Amino acid sequence: MRILRITLYLLIAACFVACKNDPKTKKPEKITIDVPTFNADMAYRFIEKQVSFGPRVPNTPSHDSCAAWLVRELHELGARVVIQHADLKAYTGEILKAQNIIAVYNPDAKRRVMLAAHWDTRHLAEWDADPERRMEPILGADDGGSGVGVLLEIARNLDVHKIENLGVDIVLFDAEDCGQPQGGGGFPEQKDTWCLGSQHWSKNKHEANYRPMYGILLDMVGSKNARFSREGVSMKYASGIMNKVWTEGQNAGYSSYFDFAKTREIIDDHLYVNKLAKIPMIDIVNRPVTSQTGFGKYWHTHDDQLDIIDKKTLTAVGQTVLNVLYKESAGAF
Ligand code: AHN
Ligand code: ZN
């Protein structure tokens, strides 16, 4: 009996020591990760440059000149650049000569994150206060310019501060903003008229086996007092990523921008990337609390110009995404 009791004690003690040495029960050590600093002045300059071309509407010289500049710029920023040309049919019947521009960093890395934004701008200003000017194309400093501006500054950081064990693909979608306006715009109602570039890419990825862990879409990420809520499509397909990015944004000190409130689903490039390409992708998109359209007051109006861009907003988004990328590369999530 006594021997049995001693054996039992010994067993318990042995187990205790074993548990103590089990690495799984150890508290994780604090790792410090070097994350580069996002430069909002640079991002702003990239927006300024895009706006200097005028509206970037498919089938216009401004559009094509801007594409050529984007390709040159990304190449200079050390990326491998792939251009995907496509003829896409708009709701008007017009064939749009579109270009999706893809910048690849660390092509050999297995673990990858995809970042995206649309680079085209809207051919209409259907929400403008002045009915006379509703048929004119918009400058799209925020809607088009800001997402690309932030991504180019991220590209610059990836070039200067080489990222380990992680591939990053920056995908600039064309023909996002060519959608049919409410009421049809004089044409019969059609489905899936927005996001033609991302629809095409999702069915014809630049690499057949392309499979990033997840994607982050930036859309209207530059206006003053922007508010990024947890949008419905992002929550449906990628709530884990959403919560990770929003938590990172809040921890980095940007809680006035990253709001955990849920808002209704929207049609944006991430919808097709989720549905057709089956890549979980979230959308960081400005959804003000009080707004008739669900977007900013400047949305699809001639107020969408450089003067609505606020560097603080660019920093909140750009720094948050950089933190996510460099933490991901260090395996810190
Ligand atoms: C809809 O209006 C249905 N979606 C808006 C997507 C968009 C347009 N983002 C920027 N411009
Ligand atoms: Zn738009």
Side-chain angles (χ1 to χ4, degrees), residues 118 122 143 176-177 194 299-300:
H118 75 90
R122 186 141 178 80
D143 191 358
E176 186 272 350
D177 235 340
W194 299 85
W299 185 63
H300 293 180

Side-chain angles (χ1 to χ4, degrees), residues 46-84:
F46 289 132
I47 300 171
E48 219 170 26
K49 177 74 185 181
Q50 292 172 79
V51 169
S52 77
F53 289 100
R56 281 85 68 208
V57 176
N59 295 353
T60 67
S62 298
H63 175 269
D64 296 354
S65 316
C66 184
W69 170 73
L70 286 169
V71 171
R72 227 183 311 127
E73 193 64 42
L74 286 164
H75 188 78
E76 268 169 37
L77 295 174
R80 176 198 279 182
V81 185
V82 181
I83 310 173
Q84 183 179 58

Side-chain angles (χ1 to χ4, degrees), residues 80-242:
R80 176 198 279 182
V81 185
V82 181
I83 310 173
Q84 183 179 58
H85 292 271
D87 289 351
L88 306 170
K89 196 171 182 172
Y91 71 92
T92 56
E94 187 181 346
I95 302 296
L96 308 177
K97 294 267 173 204
Q99 303 180 44
N100 292 324
I101 299 164
I102 302 122
V104 181
Y105 286 90
N106 280 3
D108 298 328
K110 286 268 165 306
R111 298 169 67 243
R112 313 196 66 81
V113 171
M114 170 176 172
L115 306 177
H118 75 90
W119 72 269
D120 65 305
T121 55
R122 186 141 178 80
H123 59 298
L124 296 172
E126 76 268 43
W127 290 102
D128 200 86
D130 180 357
E132 304 261 290
R133 298 194 61 205
R134 286 185 193 148
M135 294 303 279
E136 294 171 23
I138 63 165
L139 271 178
D142 195 36
D143 191 358
S146 65
V148 173
V150 168
L151 291 186
L152 287 176
E153 168 55 7
I154 288 174
R156 195 188 63 78
N157 277 285
L158 293 171
D159 186 32
V160 178
H161 309 271
K162 299 288 172 232
I163 193 160
E164 306 279 328
N165 310 315
L166 187 76
V168 179
D169 306 286
I170 295 177
V171 182
L172 305 182
F173 291 122
D174 200 354
E176 186 272 350
D177 235 340
C178 55
Q180 187 167 29
Q182 252 179 42
F187 293 88
E189 296 270 5
Q190 293 151 65
K191 270 192 198 156
D192 297 317
T193 61
W194 299 85
C195 311
L196 297 185
S198 57
Q199 292 189 53
H200 177 80
W201 181 87
S202 297
K203 294 174 201 154
N204 309 273
K205 287 172 289 183
H206 62 287
E207 274 172 36
N209 296 322
Y210 182 58
R211 192 96 214 119
M213 298 183 289
Y214 58 88
I216 303 175
L217 175 67
L218 309 185
D219 190 11
M220 300 184 276
V221 290
S223 80
K224 191 165 186 275
N225 300 325
R227 175 236 193 188
F228 309 115
S229 55
R230 292 188 302 163
E231 176 273 338
V233 170
S234 310
M235 287 302 281
K236 179 174 169 190
Y237 290 98
S239 60
I241 314 299
M242 194 99 217

